[in-house]
Amino acid sequence: MIESLLVANRGEIARRIIRTARRLGVRAIAVHSEADADLPFVAEADEAVCVGPANPAQSYRNTEAIIAAARSTDAQAIHPGYGFLSENADFARTVEASGLIWVGPGADAISAMGDKINARNLMAAAGVPVAAGTTEPSADLAAAVAAAAEIGYPVMVKAAAGGGGMGMGVAVDEAALRTEYDKVRAFAERMFGDGSVLLERYFPRVRHVEVQILGLADGRVLALGERECSVQRRNQKLVEESPSPAVTPELRTRLLAAAVRAGEAVGYRNAGTVECLLVPRQRDVEGDGSGADEFFFLEMNTRLQVEHPVTELVHGIDLVEEQLRVAAGLPPTFDPDALTVRGHAIELRVNAEDPKRFLPGPGTIRTWVEPTGEGVRVDSGYAEGNTVTPFYDSLMAKLIVHGEDRTEALARARAAVAAFDLSGPKHNLPFFTDLLENQEFLSGDYDTGIVSRLR
């Protein structure tokens, strides 16, 4: 097993990785910005190094500073968490060129999946369903207009180098496309340094379902069930659950098999996620039936996902431990041929944001009392007295519950939300109170438009 691990991240995910590392007897090293010096993950690490000021470009995205911290602390490996440098192929290569172990997929897999057009083409070649769309970047607006006419409106306009719900727009006709194309291209150039744009067929009513994959050290790729991620605001997830209420056994077989093919197509190792759109049958649109049985590849996230705890709870495994074992060339802790799903898990992302408009609301935490009890888990990045700053993502904690079935999980979620005593920053716990009483959500028959219907 790896003996020392530097965690190149912050907040709840750094704290969560450190927890597993220490349980395994692995020396855990934190890096932090000046703004994060007082957060729990820094105190809980065996060693901590300040890598720069609050600006992420000067700290958490500062490759030179992070590699220097690894060398100065004799770290053996680097875990990138999610966000920041986690899907940066150049960083992965730099880590390995420095003689360190990279806890993640190979740089080639990261590169292959980082370009959304290339990823679509690879998946189509591997037999993974993809929606109608462009197979190369639109050279200019005229090319985009021609492509949209062939695909058929409405179309999704996406940044080819984007991900995580960023750099997207919907065009219902040519006039809207002209506006969205320029907007997405400008955003992509500013955020990703690549203004390439792709077009895909847009489905007004869909569910967002993803599959957790794990590429083992021996070359096998496993699919560890699916997660429902359709409760979103501005294409950003708020709630995840596993298993998905929409996925039938027959659909699950096809969905997981496609995810395995996706991983195998790029020689995937370590943890990753294949994200898909579930599209209702045509007769559902006409009101003659229910459920969804068609799916299309959306993207592959070449890292550990924010929502990985729901998969852990229903499978009884620790995905961070499995990541470390793969990176060390070791077999998994479980029998891949005997994996079973037990019960139902739900994750609620507790953010420092207004619960109605979802605008950031940073501030100092006056009260922080986490809920406890059977089937309740809280992965938090903050504690009472800490300040949620405007420099980073608004995620403060993940409230995760597990029950023997979805009904029990929902009941535990309601009780846990009510018991979470939080004051200081604005927060979205009131939103979850409303959602967990909403009949559409409780029925399990919801889609990505549910948040807009709640507001």
Side-chain angles (χ1 to χ4, degrees):
M1 175 55 77
I2 291 166
E3 296 180 355
S4 56
L5 177 70
L6 183 142
V7 183
N9 217 293
R10 65 177 298 279
E12 70 83 15
I13 190 59
R15 195 179 188 189
R16 185 262 171 278
I17 295 166
I18 289 167
R19 183 173 68 243
T20 288
R22 298 195 68 180
R23 176 176 64 79
L24 297 174
V26 176
R27 182 166 62 93
I29 304 155
V31 294
H32 65 89
S33 69
E34 293 170 357
D36 283 345
D38 295 331
L39 292 191
F41 80 95
V42 177
E44 292 171 2
D46 294 299
E47 195 169 350
V49 179
C50 181
V51 288
N55 185 342
Q58 297 175 283
S59 52
Y60 296 110
R61 290 196 179 100
N62 187 336
T63 296
E64 291 183 2
I66 291 172
I67 296 297
R71 286 174 173 156
S72 69
T73 57
D74 294 323
Q76 184 184 7
I78 291 182
H79 193 308
Y82 55 72
F84 295 131
L85 294 168
S86 63
E87 293 181 281
N88 186 312
D90 289 339
F91 180 60
R93 292 188 180 99
T94 299
V95 168
E96 294 184 330
S98 301
L100 300 164
I101 297 171
W102 170 251
V103 184
D108 288 346
I110 296 174
S111 293
M113 293 294 100
D115 183 309
K116 303 310 174 191
I117 293 178
N118 183 60
R120 277 174 47 86
N121 295 342
L122 278 173
M123 294 302 98
V128 178
V130 297
T134 51
T135 58
E136 59 184 26
S138 297
D140 51 31
L141 178 57
V145 169
E150 183 174 344
I151 295 167
Y153 289 99
V155 294
M156 176 70 77
V157 187
K158 299 173 65 174
M166 297 191 295
M168 300 166 60
V170 176
V172 297
D173 54 28
E174 183 177 327
L177 175 61
R178 292 178 178 276
T179 299
E180 292 299 329
Y181 180 86
D182 289 340
K183 187 188 303 182
V184 170
R185 184 176 61 179
F187 179 88
E189 289 175 345
R190 184 174 69 253
M191 292 296 294
F192 311 121
D194 182 349
S196 300
V197 172
L198 69 91
L199 303 182
E200 290 179 343
R201 180 65 189 270
Y202 173 73
F203 300 97
R205 182 188 168 210
V206 295
R207 298 182 75 127
H208 186 154
V209 175
E210 63 191 25
V211 178
Q212 175 70 59
I213 62 171
L214 183 66
L216 302 182
D218 64 9
R220 286 181 293 171
V221 177
L222 308 180
L224 307 181
E226 85 282 350
R227 298 185 288 251
E228 173 76 53
C229 307
S230 296
V231 181
Q232 305 178 3
R233 49 92 170 101
R234 295 188 297 277
N235 298 313
Q236 300 288 316
K237 302 164 188 171
L238 289 172
V239 178
E240 299 91 7
E241 56 181 313
S242 184
S244 165
V247 176
T248 63
E250 181 273 335
L251 176 57
R252 181 171 295 114
T253 297
R254 291 192 288 125
L255 188 64
L256 270 57
V260 169
R261 289 198 301 275
E264 291 174 341
V266 291
Y268 204 86
R269 300 293 177 271
N270 220 275
T273 300
V274 178
E275 305 208 8
C276 299
L277 297 178
L278 293 190
V279 182
R281 300 184 183 102
Q282 184 62 36
R283 65 175 181 274
D284 295 339
V285 177
E286 297 168 354
D288 181 24
S290 61
D293 63 357
E294 294 303 321
F295 64 91
F296 299 103
F297 172 81
L298 181 61
E299 65 182 10
M300 182 188 289
N301 295 130
T302 50
R303 54 173 165 78
L304 188 68
Q305 289 279 90
V306 178
E307 56 271 24
H308 74 273
V310 294
T311 296
E312 293 183 322
L313 291 178
V314 297
H315 285 293
I317 61 176
D318 181 331
L319 278 170
V320 172
E321 179 176 2
E322 303 306 332
Q323 285 191 287
L324 295 177
R325 292 183 68 86
V326 171
L330 299 173
T333 61
F334 57 89
D335 180 354
D337 298 319
L339 267 179
T340 57
V341 174
R342 184 182 69 81
H344 197 95
I346 300 171
E347 175 180 292
L348 312 174
R349 301 192 189 191
V350 182
N351 297 327
E353 63 184 20
D354 181 280
K356 294 292 185 182
R357 296 178 298 164
F358 304 113
L359 298 176
T364 298
I365 299 171
R366 295 193 304 269
T367 309
W368 182 281
V369 181
E370 298 174 2
T372 59
E374 185 176 0
V376 176
R377 165 179 164 180
V378 180
D379 286 8
S380 61
Y382 294 86
E384 195 166 284
N386 292 153
T387 297
V388 181
T389 69
F391 305 115
Y392 313 111
D393 184 90
S394 63
L395 180 66
M396 293 187 289
K398 301 183 308 199
L399 174 54
I400 314 109
V401 297
H402 180 255
E404 289 302 312
D405 53 29
R406 189 170 187 263
T407 299
E408 184 173 62
L410 287 166
R412 287 178 173 170
R414 282 190 289 270
V417 168
F420 204 139
D421 189 0
L422 170 57
S423 67
K426 294 179 181 178
H427 59 79
N428 61 347
L429 287 171
F431 167 78
F432 295 127
T433 298
D434 293 342
L435 179 72
L436 292 167
E437 296 293 344
N438 177 266
Q439 288 304 309
E440 181 182 355
F441 180 73
L442 295 180
S443 73
D445 185 17
Y446 61 93
D447 56 51
T448 54
I450 186 172
V451 172
S452 63
R453 293 189 289 273
L454 273 169
R455 295 169 67 184

